[in-house]
């Protein structure tokens, strides 16, 4: 049995007591009765004792799971040719490691410094990263969550280039000063061996050679190091003798160098678009110079210069000509040409044009050994916004089909929805209709990045993520078992006519760019009804069919705006409510004058939709097919306001949507508009506010109704904040002023029913002395300044900056403030009230109802909840012919802050599912009369008569959550979630066969509350909202899952379930798998004899402390890393943690045994060499006498 919660009572009384003194209901709309069941016996007290809540704080823990999408702002690329895994570094200090599909790991440098270069320790399960803060890091990849083992921070020199030879433990590091340092990978300590720039160049050279841009050891002799300097100097350094074997000079800057596998030639790429080929025997000048894309001059002069060749790779083949692959180098006379990769194979030159600038590329070869024929088979090209792999084994160089979900940002993401534990047949059905639209022409070879290992894990329920995009497209993704794969793509723009260049301004002036951007989505997985609200004030209802159909698209137009006839401009002498009337009038006159100007010019738009729906029959492929398009129209020169809330119900056959003007309800079965009403009219006689007329505030130029982002300026009150975002936020798109928190029932004549939680006085009317100024006049005056378009750009640009200037006092007043005190005068109020939440459910509409009925719950930006009754035809046969009646029930509930979400619990505390119609194919050929009957699942409360007499309504606003008992409408529980911030997202979700309320707050806190008692279960400061993208895309779903867009190109998934955190290690892929390193080819006797002395080179002897000494301590600082501890911490708890610790211990033991073997072999070799040397000395002096020594 649950005990009576005295703390909750005290909290509620504290919240409501100051309210009572000021005559309003700020803390709780129901006054005293909303906090304790006193005064309402029976129904209010009974459920408190009956419902046993199973969720406790032990069920919750926050943990990031996986990141999907393309790495944002990539900078570096590396590939392990034995393990076959790829690493990508970014400008934000992130590293993404990719293997076979399902193997995708994200790790982040703590410093956040940009990654300059990545180097795999090939087949060793480790990675070296060099960052812009001049630090080197060694990552351990032998655990599922990589961790830094060692770091080395350079203090006096800037790192410019690194090179790690294959099977070497010594890393060469070039610096901006032109010096080359050597780091021991095992200990991450600098060697005392340094190649100083002034020793490398000739003494006669008077200028500095510039930074080191290239380092590589000769394939022929590991004891020779090739150093490339930026100004065109090349030095071939003998590591043993510590001197330069040869020096070469070229008059153009060097960008990269590539060896021929025999080690006799190397190729350089230069800033003038030229490639030079050098021979070690004649280093005075290159024996071949070409400008591949340069025009040949007629008079035999040198070809004209081209753009720099940023990188070149020179790869040999045993049975064909070598490949020369480079990026850049295009002619300057073609400025519009796209970035390209050029492949030269023999005499054939192929130019592959790319959609985005090339960041880096790598050629994948059959062998990891640099001194063998390379046999290239693919090229990995890293672009700024894409990753492609080119097949080199086919003459037309096709690309591989990319199995990774890296095209999330193909068009910028504007909204997201997440569904866990949805019907299992949905994923195969969506995949089957989506597979028909796949592109052709890919390589028939398997994806070459195939390393790592991944298994399904214990999580088996299906998950689907839906992303809406700026171009009007919607993508459905299979997100089961922490993977991501695209299932199906829907293009919503296809229902509209394409705008021709030069026309369209007459109708579609509402949005300058991306008029089809998806703003909101609503999906019913059971009935497969899908609904989209677009930025151009339209709603499209889609039905799913497996059959292609050719049909016309039904469309409706809805007027949802205050009429011009209602506007009466207040006169100065009859305007007593305004204390500062004289100062307000000039701005009102000037703004209303601009409205009249539109009318005089004869260009006033009226009853015109923003876009034109196709009038001809349209072919619709299998999948989602448009059933109805609903468009809001211009009204007397005023554009329709953007849609702020959306709900669909397949059982009722209704779609409802609202904006800052009001609410519309449409019957999509009969294709009729049932309701189109202003928000104020929805109250009828139950309006709880004494709404006073008000004049527009001066300088009110801000665009304002992002209902999930208002209040952001509270966090940045002192200066202008630039917030990077991946979408055009609603603050840029919407014209309506922010619905500031209204004073609750200030009029002394407004009586309040504290028990019922809403105002009931008949004198609470929205009129006063003087002529009425309607909300349309206020909104029009606020919205339209001279020369200002109705809406700004509706695009979702990848890196858009939004300034929130709140530095001056006037701006501060106009900022998105939600935390004003309840004593602010009505002059600061806004008479517009946006519809912010909608919910269809079977509920008790009125206080005296004895049975549930069909209802639409409406939540507004002022914290009001209005219940509308839906009178549906009694039988299914009459549904297509009889009208549906929508009427206000008279019930009004109140909360503090804009309403975000609703849910309904039955009398046992179980979540009641919304009614739905079981899906049937609307175009199925075998549909007979019997199958045409609709099958409805109503999900009414428990059928037991003694238990089904009441239910719980859960309502959450951006400030507080309340649980009401129905039909008594008593507020049983209230929880003030935040006072200083506001909620961005709230969802009622199921977890462990129970239900809870999950909230994400603008101050970064993630919270969960039990239901129905609203006990806090979790409150963690997870993610401060410095970016509107996060606010717009954050969403919770069932089974403890959530996601948000962490960058314009990446989706970050997380869990708030302790159980999933415990099982996460089993679900993640393994980056390292045991693979035998391929054996080196037999070099043959002659090659071994004459091919140089590379095999006898001992780096340990040369660079070790015994020979080279210690490096200067001030040059670099060694920082020990966390090593494998992070991996263990991620898997802590239970058997999984023990197994992980044991696995890491075994790995470390194996590594130490391997090192012991190597040392033993080294000691044996040293002993043999010593024995041989001693034997030679003995033979030399065997026959000599003592006096001959």
């Amino acid at each position: 049995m649950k005990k009576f919660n005295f703390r909750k009572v005290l909290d509620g009384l504290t919240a409501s007591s100051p309210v009572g003194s000021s005559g309003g209901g700020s803390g709780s709309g129901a006054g005293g009765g909303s906090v304790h069941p006193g005064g309402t016996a029976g129904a209010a007290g009974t459920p408190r004792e009956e419902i046993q809540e199973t969720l406790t704080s032990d069920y919750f823990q926050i943990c990031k799971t996986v990141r999907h999408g393309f790495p944002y702002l990539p900078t570096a690329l590396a590939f392990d040719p034995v393990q076959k895994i790829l690493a990508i570094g970014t400008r934000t200090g992130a590293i993404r490691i990719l293997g076979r599909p399902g193997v995708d790991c994200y790790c982040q440098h703590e410093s956040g410094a940009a990654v300059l270069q990545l180097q795999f320790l090939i087949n060793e399960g480790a990675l070296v990263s060099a960052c812009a803060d001049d630090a080197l890091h060694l990552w351990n990849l032998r655990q599922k969550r990589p961790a830094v083992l060692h770091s080395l921070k350079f203090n006096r020199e800037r790192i410019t280039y690194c090179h790690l030879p294959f099977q070497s433990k010594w890393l060469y590091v070039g610096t901006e000063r032109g010096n080359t340092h050597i780091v021991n990978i095992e200990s991450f300590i600098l060697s005392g061996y340094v190649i100083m720039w002034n020793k490398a160049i000739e003494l006669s050279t008077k200028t500095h050679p510039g930074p080191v841009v290239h380092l590589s050891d000769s394939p022929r002799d590991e004891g020779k190091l090739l150093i490339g300097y930026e100004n065109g100097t090349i030095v071939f350094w003998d590591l043993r003798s510590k001197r330069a074997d040869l020096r070469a000079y070229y008059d153009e800057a060097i960008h990269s160098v590539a060896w021929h596998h025999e080690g006799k030639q190397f190729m350089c790429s230069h800033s003038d678009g030229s490639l030079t080929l050098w021979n070690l025997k004649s280093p005075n000048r290159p024996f071949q110079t070409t400008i591949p894309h340069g025009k040949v001059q007629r008079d035999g002069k040198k070809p004209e210069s081209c753009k720099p060749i940023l990188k070149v790779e020179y790869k040999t083949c045993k049975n064909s000509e070598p490949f020369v692959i480079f990026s850049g180098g295009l002619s300057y006379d073609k400025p519009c040409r796209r970035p390209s990769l050029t492949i030269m194979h023999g005499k054939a030159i192929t130019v592959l044009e790319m959609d985005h600038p090339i960041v880096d590329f790598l050629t994948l070869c059959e062998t990891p050994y640099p001194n063998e024929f390379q046999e290239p088979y693919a090229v990995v090209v890293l672009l700024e916004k894409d990753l492609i792999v080119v097949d080199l084994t086919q003459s037309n160089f096709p690309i591989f089909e990319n199995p990774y979900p890296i095209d999330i940002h193909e068009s910028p993401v504007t909204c997201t929805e997440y569904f866990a534990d949805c019907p299992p047949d949905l994923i195969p059905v969506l995949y089957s209709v989506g597979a028909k639209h796949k592109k052709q022409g890919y390589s028939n070879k398997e994806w070459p990045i195939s390393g790592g290992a991944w298994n399904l894990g214990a999580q088996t329920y299906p998950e689907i993520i839906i992303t809406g995009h700026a171009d009007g497209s919607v993508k459905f993704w299979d997100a089961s078992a922490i993977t991501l794969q695209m299932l199906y793509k829907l293009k919503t723009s296809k229902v509209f006519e394409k705008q021709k260049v030069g026309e369209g301004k007459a109708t579609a002036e509402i949005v300058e760019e991306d008029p089809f951007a998806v703003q909101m989505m609503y999906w019913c997985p059971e009935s497969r009804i899908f609904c989209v609200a677009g930025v151009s004030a339209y709603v499209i209802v889609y039905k799913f069919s497996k059959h292609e159909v050719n049909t016309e698209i039904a469309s409706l137009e809805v007027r949802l705006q205050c009429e011009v006839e209602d506007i009466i401009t207040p006169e100065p002498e009859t305007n007593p409510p305004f204390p500062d009337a004289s100062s307000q009038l000039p701005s009102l006159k000037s703004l209303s004058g601009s409205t009249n100007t539109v009318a005089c010019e004869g260009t006033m738009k009226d009853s015109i939709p923003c876009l034109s729906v196709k009038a001809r029959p349209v072919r619709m492929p299998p999948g989602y097919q448009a059933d109805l398009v609903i468009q809001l129209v211009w009204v007397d020169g005023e554009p329709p306001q953007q849609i702020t809330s959306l709900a669909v119900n397949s059982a009722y056959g209704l779609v409802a949507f609202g904006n800052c003007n009001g609410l519309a309800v449409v019957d999509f079965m009969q294709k009729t508009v049932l309701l189109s009403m202003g928000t104020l009219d929805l109250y009828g006689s139950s309006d709880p506010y004494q709404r006073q007329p008000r004049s527009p505030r001066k300088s009110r130029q801000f665009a304002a109704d992002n209902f999930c982002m208002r209040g952001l300026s509270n966090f940045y009150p002192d200066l202008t904040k630039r917030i990077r975002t991946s979408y055009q936020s609603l603050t840029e798109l919407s014209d309506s002023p922010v619905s500031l928190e209204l004073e609750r029932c200030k009029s002394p004549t407004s009586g309040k029913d504290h028990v019922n939680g809403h105002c009931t006085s008949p004198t609470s009317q929205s009129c006063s002395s003087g002529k009425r100024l309607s909300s349309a006049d206020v909104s029009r005056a606020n919205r339209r300044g001279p020369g200002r378009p109705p809406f700004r750009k509706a695009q979702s640009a990848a890196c858009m900056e939004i300034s929130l200037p709140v530095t001056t006092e006037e701006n501060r007043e106009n900022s998105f403030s939600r935390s004003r005190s309840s004593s602010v005068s009505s002059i600061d109020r806004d008479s517009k009230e946006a519809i912010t939440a909608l919910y269809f459910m079977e509920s008790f509409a009125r206080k005296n109802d004895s049975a549930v009925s069909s209802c639409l719950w409406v939540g507004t930006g002022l914290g009001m909840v209005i219940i509308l009754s839906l009178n549906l035809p009694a039988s299914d046969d009459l549904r297509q012919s009889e009208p549906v009646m929508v009427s206000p029930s008279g019930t009004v509930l109140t909360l503090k802050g804009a309403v975000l979400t609703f849910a309904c619990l039955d009398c046992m505390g179980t979540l009641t599912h919304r009614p739905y119609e079981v899906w049937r194919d609307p175009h199925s050929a075998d549909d007979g009369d019997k199958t045409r009957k609709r099958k409805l699942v109503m999900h009414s409360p428990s059928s037991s008569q003694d238990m089904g007499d009441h239910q719980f309504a859960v309502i959450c606003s951006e400030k507080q959550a309340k649980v009401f008992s129905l039909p008594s409408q008593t507020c049983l529980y209230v929880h003030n979630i935040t006072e200083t911030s506001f909620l961005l997202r709230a969802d009622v979700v199921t977890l462990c066969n129970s239900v809870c309320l999950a909230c994400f707050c603008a101050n970064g806190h993630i919270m969960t509350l039990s239901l129905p008692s609203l006990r806090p279960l979790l409150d963690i400061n997870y993610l401060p909202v410095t970016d509107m993208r996060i606010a717009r895309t954050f969403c919770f779903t069932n089974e403890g899952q959530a996601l948000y867009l962490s960058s314009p190109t990446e989706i970050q998934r997380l869990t708030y379930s302790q159980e999933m955190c415990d099982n996460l290690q089993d679900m993640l892929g393994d980056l390292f798998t045991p693979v035998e390193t391929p054996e080196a080819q037999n070099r043959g006797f002659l090659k071994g004899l004459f091919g140089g002395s590379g095999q006898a080179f001992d780096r340990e002897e040369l660079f070790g402390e015994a020979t080279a000494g210690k490096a200067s301590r001030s040059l670099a600082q060694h920082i020990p890393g966390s090593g494998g501890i992070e991996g263990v911490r991620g898997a802590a708890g239970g058997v999984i943690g023990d197994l992980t610790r044991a696995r890491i211990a075994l790995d470390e033991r194996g590594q130490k045994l391997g090192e012991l073997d190597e040392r033993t072999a080294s000691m044996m070799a040293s002993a043999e060499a010593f024995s041989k040397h001693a034997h030679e000395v003995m033979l030399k002096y065997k026959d000599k006498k003592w006096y001959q020594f």
Side-chain angles (χ1 to χ4, degrees), residues 309-481:
I309 294 177
L310 301 177
K311 183 174 181 179
V312 64
E313 294 212 340
Y314 187 21
K315 302 298 181 183
T316 54
C317 304
K318 199 167 189 177
N319 300 319
S320 67
E321 296 287 327
F323 280 89
V324 176
I325 304 168
F326 62 88
S327 61
L330 294 177
S331 175
Y332 280 108
D333 64 354
K334 295 181 180 176
C336 296
R337 278 188 75 171
R338 293 189 291 178
S340 65
L341 185 81
T342 305
I343 301 173
M344 299 170 64
H345 188 215
K347 293 182 179 179
I349 300 179
T350 305
V351 179
L352 304 177
E353 290 192 339
M354 305 293 169
D355 293 330
H356 309 284
I358 296 173
V359 175
D360 198 358
F361 73 90
L362 285 173
T363 309
L364 310 188
C365 301
E366 296 289 355
T367 176
Y369 295 94
N371 57 358
E372 297 176 357
F373 280 106
Q374 297 299 287
E375 304 294 348
Y377 60 90
V379 182
V380 179
V381 188
L382 178 64
L383 309 177
E384 276 188 5
K385 294 183 180 180
D386 204 356
L387 176 75
I388 65 168
V389 182
V390 181
D391 186 355
L392 294 180
T393 62
Q394 299 180 46
S395 58
N396 61 337
F397 303 128
I399 65 170
F400 290 87
E401 185 176 6
N402 198 320
Y404 306 135
I406 60 169
D407 57 346
I408 291 171
H409 64 288
E410 183 180 20
S411 173
V413 177
T414 52
C415 55
T416 58
E417 291 295 337
Y418 191 7
F419 299 86
D421 206 10
C422 44
D425 59 333
L426 274 177
I427 289 176
V429 164
L430 288 169
Y431 183 80
S432 65
V433 294
K436 296 172 184 176
H437 305 291
K438 286 201 170 182
K439 294 178 182 177
Q440 304 298 320
Y442 291 112
S443 170
N444 53 12
K445 299 283 182 68
E446 286 193 9
W447 181 251
I449 304 163
S450 56
W454 178 78
N455 57 7
L456 196 60
Q459 182 181 319
T460 54
Y461 54 83
E463 299 172 71
I464 291 177
I465 292 170
I466 309 177
T467 54
H469 299 264
D471 64 352
S473 61
V474 175
K475 293 180 180 178
F476 292 76
W477 305 83
D478 177 7
S480 308

Side-chain angles (χ1 to χ4, degrees), residues 125-259:
L127 175 73
V128 174
S129 60
C131 295
D133 60 348
D134 307 307
L136 297 171
H137 306 275
L138 179 66
W139 294 83
N140 177 18
L141 307 184
R142 293 181 179 238
Q143 56 194 49
K144 292 190 174 185
R145 286 189 179 270
V148 174
L149 290 168
H150 300 282
S151 296
L152 188 67
K153 180 82 166 64
F154 281 73
N155 298 321
R156 296 186 302 187
E157 297 199 52
R158 307 295 309 270
I159 298 171
T160 56
Y161 195 86
C162 298
H163 170 63
L164 180 66
F166 179 46
Q167 295 181 324
S168 167
K169 66 175 184 180
W170 297 95
L171 175 73
Y172 301 112
V173 181
T175 67
E176 197 173 43
R177 291 187 183 179
N179 302 326
T180 302
H181 301 275
I182 300 166
V183 178
N184 186 315
I185 288 297
E186 291 177 349
S187 61
F188 240 58
I189 294 174
L190 270 179
S191 166
Y193 193 112
V194 184
I195 305 170
M196 304 299 289
W197 68 269
N198 54 356
K199 299 256 182 90
I201 64 170
E202 286 183 330
L203 294 174
S204 58
T205 306
K206 295 181 180 179
T207 57
H208 190 278
V212 174
V213 295
H214 179 81
L215 291 168
S216 61
D217 52 339
S218 167
R220 193 180 185 197
D221 185 354
E222 295 173 347
K224 304 288 178 66
L225 185 69
L226 189 73
I227 308 172
Y229 295 95
E230 191 179 61
N231 73 348
T233 301
I234 300 160
V235 175
F236 198 47
W237 183 263
D238 189 330
L239 293 165
R240 298 183 196 83
S241 61
K242 299 183 182 179
R243 62 180 180 82
D245 268 10
L246 61 88
R247 297 180 180 90
Y249 300 95
Y250 194 69
D251 53 5
E252 292 291 343
I254 292 175
H255 283 282
S256 69
V257 183
W259 279 101

Side-chain angles (χ1 to χ4, degrees), residues 1008-1169:
T1008 59
L1009 304 172
S1010 71
L1011 289 177
S1013 68
L1014 298 178
R1015 284 180 300 107
L1017 299 173
L1018 174 77
D1019 186 353
I1020 289 182
N1021 188 3
Y1022 170 74
L1023 181 77
V1025 180
T1026 55
D1027 198 322
M1028 288 186 179
R1029 182 194 318 108
I1030 299 169
R1032 186 76 178 109
T1033 57
F1034 198 104
C1035 51
F1036 296 98
T1037 188
N1038 298 331
E1039 307 303 333
Q1041 305 262 39
L1043 67 79
Y1044 61 93
L1045 215 67
S1046 57
S1047 76
T1049 62
E1050 294 168 290
I1051 287 175
Q1052 176 67 59
R1053 290 166 68 179
L1054 60 141
T1055 181
Y1056 50 95
S1057 160
Q1058 177 70 58
E1059 183 184 3
M1060 188 166 179
C1061 288
D1062 292 342
N1063 297 331
L1064 187 59
Q1065 282 295 112
D1066 290 343
M1067 300 169 69
L1068 296 172
D1070 288 298
L1071 296 173
F1072 180 80
T1073 52
V1075 179
E1076 286 289 329
T1077 303
E1079 291 185 6
Q1081 294 177 4
N1082 191 354
R1083 303 185 72 202
F1085 174 73
L1086 292 174
K1087 280 194 176 180
L1089 192 62
F1090 301 110
S1093 54
Q1095 297 302 318
F1097 178 61
D1098 186 0
R1099 292 188 179 92
E1100 183 68 43
E1101 184 182 342
L1102 196 59
F1103 303 144
E1105 190 177 316
T1107 309
K1110 288 186 178 181
S1112 169
R1113 287 188 179 181
S1114 60
L1115 185 61
Q1117 175 190 359
H1118 175 258
I1119 305 165
S1122 56
I1125 299 170
E1126 291 294 324
V1128 176
R1129 198 174 289 156
V1135 181
I1136 297 167
D1138 296 336
L1139 285 171
T1140 308
R1141 280 186 282 270
R1143 195 180 301 153
I1144 290 172
L1146 281 171
D1147 284 344
E1148 290 174 355
R1149 184 168 175 267
Q1151 201 170 347
K1152 288 175 181 176
L1153 285 171
E1155 290 171 6
L1156 186 62
D1157 287 344
E1158 289 174 9
R1159 287 178 185 171
T1160 306
S1162 176
M1163 288 173 65
M1164 287 177 66
S1166 299
E1168 286 178 13

Side-chain angles (χ1 to χ4, degrees), residues 798-809:
C799 276
M800 200 174 73
E801 293 189 346
I802 295 174
S803 297
L804 301 180
V806 287
T807 49
T808 65
E809 201 58 38

Side-chain angles (χ1 to χ4, degrees), residues 739-794:
S739 47
L740 297 174
E741 186 180 331
L742 238 75
E743 183 176 333
R744 309 296 196 214
C745 306
K746 275 196 68 100
S747 169
T749 58
S750 61
K752 288 177 288 297
D753 179 354
H754 290 286
V755 176
N756 297 340
H758 58 273
C759 301
T760 56
S761 169
T763 57
S764 302
Q765 297 169 7
S766 55
C767 60
S768 68
S769 59
K771 295 183 181 179
R772 182 178 177 188
L773 174 68
S774 82
S775 59
D777 194 13
V778 176
S779 66
R780 186 166 298 141
N782 289 343
R783 275 201 306 270
R784 301 297 299 275
R788 182 183 167 197
F791 288 104
R792 271 181 266 167
K793 208 172 167 185

